[in-house]
Amino acid sequence: MTAHTADCANCDFRINKVPSRDWPEGSKRPIYRYKNDYPATVSTDRGDTWHPNNLEGNKLQLDVWGNESAITTYIDQVPHTYALFEAGYGIMNEHQLAIGESTCAARFYGIPANTEGFEGYAHIEVNEMSRLALERTTNARDAIKLMGKLAEELGYYTADWASGGDNSLGEAGEALTVIDPNEAWVFHVLGDDTGKSAIWVAQKVPSDHVSVVANQFTIRHVKTDSDDFMYSKSVHEVALRNNLWKEEDGELNFQETYGLPRAHSQYATRRVWRVLSLAAPSLNLDPQSKDTWGSNFPFSVKVDKKLSPQDVMNMHRD
């Protein structure tokens, strides 16, 4: 199971069903620029919810929104795309591949290309990455590989590129929880130091464990010899050229290398503690974090008992 909360004040909270579809040879898939307020997406190709005929507004608003969302670029369409549910992010497809999301502070941020008033070079944000993963893949590993490839090749940008400075850095990274019927993974991504590519890492969650992300990266030491990790080459390359890590330091700590500490660290760490303590009360975890990263809290914990969907909902409500 995976779940997440969407806690923004002005998001478009509608849910959309995208039907499966076969595409003619030579078709192109538009990459829409991220927008969180209503209407987050306007499209004639993604089901009824986003269709321009479903918009509610006055004439001026309808004229501004138009018939399609702003596009940063196009990529080749695949012959067949799977049915899925989506909202602000991709939710789940017909193969029980599902995704949750948590925005994280990060060291670098990208700016979208083809955006008036901004000099940007990146073309994709995690919203579209998650949707494309559900359209095109059937399992968590393949979804992560596809999202990482898209971010590297198209360039990854933050959801809040317009504010600049600390505000944009505070939204610069993303974490996705990616599951299928057999595996669960945590995926982290941010733009690189050129603004034209991306840095990403993913860690597998053991089958009898629970992991949680509370708006702060949680993947720490990247194990290069483990099948439980996936990562971009840029993880080490960018760290080296920015003097953030040296090979003699040993395993790169992704959280501390590419994350940024929250001004009020317990905003993240206390929520991590609470979920882990509810999943495994027998561990008697200390609620006090020893540092801004919550490094005394494990990446995941073995649950004391099997959790139900209601247990997960109760954790959200706690």
Side-chain angles (χ1 to χ4, degrees):
M1 293 183 288
T2 188
H4 86 263
T5 57
D7 57 359
C8 58
N10 62 338
C11 284
D12 184 345
F13 291 106
R14 296 176 296 165
I15 295 176
N16 179 55
K17 180 182 178 181
V18 183
S20 62
R21 185 167 173 180
D22 294 319
W23 296 89
E25 185 177 353
S27 295
K28 294 291 184 179
R29 170 38 162 106
I31 304 299
Y32 293 123
R33 189 173 69 212
Y34 179 75
K35 182 175 180 286
N36 66 351
D37 57 335
Y38 183 95
T41 303
V42 181
S43 173
T44 58
D45 284 335
R46 299 196 65 79
D48 294 337
T49 303
W50 310 141
H51 199 283
N53 291 343
N54 194 45
L55 290 171
E56 297 181 2
N58 59 44
K59 184 179 185 306
L60 177 60
Q61 289 172 319
L62 294 174
D63 288 344
V64 170
W65 296 333
N67 291 316
E68 189 166 30
S69 294
I71 296 168
T72 61
T73 191
Y74 292 85
I75 62 174
D76 291 338
Q77 185 58 280
V78 294
H80 179 80
T81 51
Y82 303 120
L84 63 118
F85 287 103
E86 62 186 13
Y89 305 91
I91 299 173
M92 178 183 282
N93 74 8
E94 63 184 281
H95 297 281
Q96 299 182 64
L97 173 64
I99 297 175
E101 180 274 345
S102 185
T103 305
C104 303
R107 188 172 293 276
F108 308 112
Y109 71 90
I111 297 172
N114 304 319
T115 302
E116 185 177 355
F118 295 89
E119 186 177 354
Y121 307 100
H123 294 90
I124 198 165
E125 195 266 345
V126 79
N127 164 292
E128 283 284 68
M129 288 163 53
S130 65
R131 291 176 174 186
L132 281 158
L134 296 180
E135 290 172 23
R136 299 182 175 204
T137 66
T138 62
N139 62 76
R141 284 181 185 264
D142 287 345
I144 289 167
K145 290 176 183 177
L146 175 61
M147 290 189 292
K149 182 174 184 288
L150 289 167
E152 288 184 77
E153 293 182 352
L154 298 179
Y156 177 81
Y157 65 87
T158 175
D160 180 9
W161 69 85
S163 297
D166 289 344
N167 287 337
S168 290
L169 290 171
E171 304 282 316
E174 286 286 351
L176 297 179
T177 51
V178 187
I179 67 160
D180 61 35
N182 300 305
E183 292 188 342
W185 289 76
V186 174
F187 169 79
H188 294 337
V189 63
L190 68 152
D192 74 347
D193 55 345
T194 70
K196 300 177 181 180
S197 188
I199 305 158
W200 63 272
V201 67
Q203 181 175 350
K204 185 181 176 183
V205 181
S207 60
D208 52 357
H209 279 223
V210 161
S211 188
V212 56
V213 182
N215 300 114
Q216 183 168 271
F217 290 150
T218 58
I219 296 175
R220 298 187 180 110
H221 295 285
V222 180
K223 300 187 181 300
T224 58
D225 58 351
S226 172
D227 193 45
D228 292 339
F229 283 80
M230 294 184 278
Y231 53 90
S232 59
K233 289 196 304 181
S234 57
V235 160
H236 296 96
E237 294 172 350
V238 174
L240 281 170
R241 68 175 177 246
N242 286 275
N243 297 315
L244 301 173
W245 169 83
K246 305 184 297 294
E247 290 187 25
E248 52 265 35
D249 294 337
E251 293 174 341
L252 181 142
N253 185 318
F254 188 94
Q255 182 188 58
E256 296 184 12
T257 301
Y258 291 114
L260 291 178
R262 293 292 184 181
H264 178 53
S265 62
Q266 289 188 340
Y267 163 74
T269 60
R270 187 57 60 91
R271 287 184 289 155
V272 169
W273 164 79
R274 187 55 177 154
V275 171
L276 298 182
S277 69
L278 289 171
S282 63
L283 294 179
N284 195 27
L285 294 172
D286 186 346
Q288 297 300 325
S289 172
K290 74 176 187 179
D291 54 32
T292 189
W293 303 109
S295 59
N296 51 312
F297 302 139
F299 167 76
S300 66
V301 296
K302 184 176 181 178
V303 297
D304 284 358
K305 66 179 182 67
K306 188 174 182 178
L307 300 180
S308 68
Q310 188 61 55
D311 290 326
V312 176
M313 286 185 256
N314 290 343
M315 289 176 175
H316 276 283
R317 295 183 176 124
D318 183 85

